[in-house]
Amino acid sequence: MANPKFLNFIDGAWCSSKSGKTFSNINPANKDDIIGTFPASDAQDVQKAVESAASSLEEWQKTPPPKRGEILFRVGEILQNRKEELAQLMTREMGKILREARGDIQEAIDMAFYTAGEGRRLLGQTVPSELPNKFCMTLRDPVGICGLITPWNFPMAIPSWKVFPALICANTAILKPASDTPASATKFVEILLEAGLPPKTLQLVHGTGPEVGTPLVKHPQIELISFTGSSQTGQEIAAYCSQHHKKVSLEMGGKNAQIVLEDANLDLALEGIVWGAFGTTGQRCTASSRLILQKKIASELTHRLLNRAKNLKLGSGLLSSTEMGPLINQKQLEKVSEYVQIGQKEGAQLLTGGHPYREGECSKGFFFSPTIFTNVHSQMRIAQEEIFGPVLAIIEVEDIEEAIHVANDTSYGLSLSIYTQDINQAFHAIRAFKSGIVYVNAPTIGAEVQLPFGGIKHTGNGHREAAQTALDIFSEWKTVFIDHSGRLQKAQID
Ligand code: UN1
């Protein structure tokens, strides 16, 4: 089988790691299928990338924002033209089914067009002064060199959330993609270059967190780190960045819940649960990993859900009949299996699944059966900790107040959802939910790029990706006062 060699992109050229070391990446649906060999980079490669990113800052900052936007517009067009080929590669590399891989690329396309438009906006404010003949406005300044560390679950969408706003705000950037999805990231960078991005503006450095991520975070010339991944790594990054006065934007875990009240449209709720819990094999930070059911409808809905989960078709995401692909790797398979044991020890009742799935061709990959626990209590670890797999914990409640209490009863705060046909209950939940994202009559997944994305509590650190809020991560406000009175005027005094 072919084993293509992929490279870093540093200082305007495709290159191996300085040490010459490599790692290979496999298809999680079929371990025999090798995606390619990639540079196992380290601090030396990061150093070269930073030097190059620094050398290109000035030229990029002189480029008018609409011109920067035109490049992103072309990126959107190229992504559109190559969507199918890129989706095939992403499915092979990451495992998500083709329909979802197309969605991932579509999110990058949306982000490209949305951010391209920002090239002609980058809105600031003009506001009145308290003094005569004095003009007040705000401008956005770039931050500098950005280190962008991205996860494997959205191999193009999440890099696009970080790279495009970083570039439109006139920063230069170093992308360190997850080592489970480096091929998709390489294609992404190739497309930016093809669209006309000045080559030294963006650097691509492949490798592990400890070997590449850590030197990136610790490099004194990197002004900003944007990270999506685990809460533990995020905390370590935040601690370092706060000590060294670096700007840091974090998007970490979730323990999202979908509430179904007794007045809900149950057919709709059922579709939402299946999609929210088992879409992308539960490997979204927005995945619905808790289902909170009002008692009256709990047994009917659980029964119908069980039927659906048992019949989900597992397999290679490249086959159009497949409904759920594999987990990303062996480690994740072990983690999910461990949580099943934890749930059982805690006294939750395993209704279905709970084990790796090895039927037929699936024996070659990291497949895991759709898993449902019932009799779950909010304090159990399976109801508190992020599992990142196709595992759903069902919690029964008496009424909406208890439902909202349970939904909020986690250390995370990304996405919460409620199914009800009662507008008063819906608005009550919208206000009472402690999360960055709320859905009514839709599952916890499915954010759109023109709206802020992110969460509160242990999910984030106060920033929001996508939308115009992303610009606040990648730029610094500069407040400008122009006094054209010709005399000294004293604010708050005159
Ligand atoms: C993620 O899981 O990290 O809202 C991102 C969604 C997608 C993005 C998810 N648009 O589910």
Side-chain angles (χ1 to χ4, degrees):
M1 211 171 267
N3 180 0
K5 190 168 182 263
F6 289 78
L7 296 167
N8 284 335
F9 188 75
I10 300 178
D11 201 24
W14 292 99
C15 55
S16 308
S17 61
K18 277 206 167 162
S19 69
K21 288 189 189 150
T22 59
F23 66 95
S24 51
N25 188 26
I26 53 166
N27 176 348
N30 175 3
K31 296 174 221 173
D32 301 334
D33 178 20
I34 297 170
I35 307 298
T37 304
F38 300 83
S41 318
D42 59 28
Q44 309 171 70
D45 305 288
V46 170
Q47 177 60 28
K48 195 167 168 214
V50 173
E51 283 165 18
S52 176
S55 75
S56 61
L57 265 175
E58 202 178 312
E59 184 202 328
W60 187 234
Q61 288 173 5
K62 280 189 202 146
T63 308
K67 296 278 172 229
R68 291 185 226 132
E70 280 167 25
I71 296 169
L72 295 184
F73 190 81
R74 283 195 291 277
V75 170
E77 286 178 324
I78 300 169
L79 284 168
Q80 240 169 3
N81 293 337
R82 293 177 55 185
K83 185 170 170 183
E84 197 50 40
E85 158 218 335
L86 296 169
Q88 299 268 345
L89 174 67
M90 186 186 291
T91 291
R92 257 185 77 213
E93 179 173 61
M94 187 273 166
K96 63 172 77 176
I97 61 173
L98 259 183
R99 261 199 321 278
E100 293 184 20
R102 290 187 195 111
D104 190 316
I105 294 154
Q106 187 58 46
E107 198 159 345
I109 295 168
D110 298 342
M111 195 63 200
F113 291 142
Y114 181 81
T115 316
E118 278 307 323
R120 289 189 182 268
R121 276 190 299 269
L122 287 175
L123 299 178
Q125 301 165 302
T126 59
V127 290
S129 166
E130 64 186 51
L131 293 163
N133 297 318
K134 192 175 170 192
F135 185 89
C136 311
M137 64 179 172
T138 58
L139 304 172
R140 286 187 185 275
D141 266 359
V143 181
I145 306 172
C146 303
L148 311 176
I149 304 176
T150 55
W152 45 262
N153 66 335
F154 276 81
M156 284 218 182
I158 295 182
S160 83
W161 292 357
K162 300 189 192 298
V163 171
F164 299 163
L167 293 176
I168 205 73
C169 292
N171 304 287
T172 60
I174 299 168
L175 174 63
K176 194 257 171 294
S179 39
D180 279 305
T181 50
S184 300
T186 308
K187 294 288 160 197
F188 179 75
V189 171
E190 273 174 26
I191 287 168
L192 275 140
L193 296 169
E194 188 185 330
L197 187 74
K200 295 183 185 178
T201 312
L202 180 64
Q203 325 270 330
L204 172 70
V205 187
H206 290 292
T208 64
E211 293 285 339
V212 179
T214 303
L216 203 57
V217 170
K218 295 197 169 166
H219 199 291
Q221 276 173 279
I222 292 192
E223 305 270 9
L224 181 157
I225 293 290
S226 173
F227 167 81
T228 299
S230 75
S231 293
Q232 197 199 329
T233 307
Q235 263 170 28
E236 287 164 21
I237 292 175
Y240 186 87
C241 289
S242 81
Q243 273 166 12
H244 294 82
H245 300 279
K246 276 179 205 265
K247 199 168 181 182
V248 59
S249 151
L250 304 172
E251 210 277 288
M252 299 168 289
K255 191 69 192 174
N256 316 292
Q258 184 170 320
I259 294 175
V260 185
L261 296 183
E262 60 190 30
D263 74 304
N265 174 338
L266 295 190
D267 297 336
L268 186 68
L270 178 64
E271 292 311 310
I273 299 159
V274 173
W275 176 224
F278 303 122
T280 326
T281 320
Q283 299 173 114
R284 295 194 186 211
C285 13
T286 50
S288 313
S289 57
R290 296 179 297 150
L291 175 61
I292 302 171
L293 299 180
Q294 203 168 356
K295 282 209 168 108
K296 199 167 153 202
I297 46 99
S299 68
E300 181 195 339
L301 199 57
T302 303
H303 180 76
R304 290 177 66 187
L305 176 62
L306 184 60
N307 207 30
R308 285 292 300 276
K310 277 184 173 163
N311 289 305
L312 279 178
K313 176 113 185 61
L314 272 63
S316 158
L318 294 170
L319 304 171
S320 59
S321 56
T322 300
E323 293 173 294
M324 196 177 98
L327 291 166
I328 188 71
N329 56 31
Q330 179 64 28
K331 202 169 143 213
Q332 200 54 28
L333 192 83
E334 284 163 15
K335 180 177 169 196
V336 175
S337 304
E338 244 175 72
Y339 269 106
V340 170
Q341 286 174 17
I342 291 170
Q344 284 175 309
K345 273 198 203 122
E346 285 178 311
Q349 186 189 343
L350 181 64
L351 281 188
T352 186
H355 52 81
Y357 180 82
R358 299 200 176 98
E359 297 294 311
E361 288 290 296
C362 289
S363 63
K364 294 185 178 166
F366 308 113
F367 291 90
F368 201 90
S369 290
T371 299
I372 301 176
F373 277 107
T374 189
N375 280 340
V376 178
H377 300 296
S378 188
Q379 283 309 309
M380 289 181 180
R381 286 182 62 193
I382 56 165
Q384 289 291 329
E385 296 173 20
E386 187 175 52
I387 300 174
F388 230 63
V391 181
L392 181 68
I394 302 181
I395 304 171
E396 293 185 22
V397 294
E398 293 294 338
D399 55 21
I400 183 172
E401 293 313 329
E402 194 189 349
I404 291 171
H405 173 79
V406 169
N408 287 338
D409 183 24
T410 100
S411 57
Y412 294 107
L414 183 55
S415 183
L416 293 173
S417 136
I418 184 161
Y419 279 73
T420 176
Q421 303 195 73
D422 179 334
I423 186 101
N424 298 332
Q425 306 214 89
F427 269 94
H428 175 49
I430 291 170
R431 284 280 173 208
F433 277 158
K434 292 191 170 41
S435 62
I437 304 171
V438 167
Y439 289 92
V440 176
N441 293 327
T444 54
I445 68 179
E448 301 178 28
V449 303
Q450 68 279 19
L451 290 138
F453 183 94
I456 59 173
K457 302 198 268 182
H458 291 189
T459 294
N461 69 332
H463 295 282
R464 292 291 185 276
E465 300 200 273
Q468 300 209 343
T469 41
L471 304 176
D472 294 334
I473 299 172
F474 292 103
S475 63
E476 288 289 354
W477 283 116
K478 181 175 272 170
T479 304
V480 183
F481 299 100
I482 303 162
D483 192 319
H484 53 100
S485 68
R487 60 196 172 88
L488 175 64
Q489 301 197 88
K490 297 181 184 137
Q492 296 92 37
I493 292 169
D494 285 350

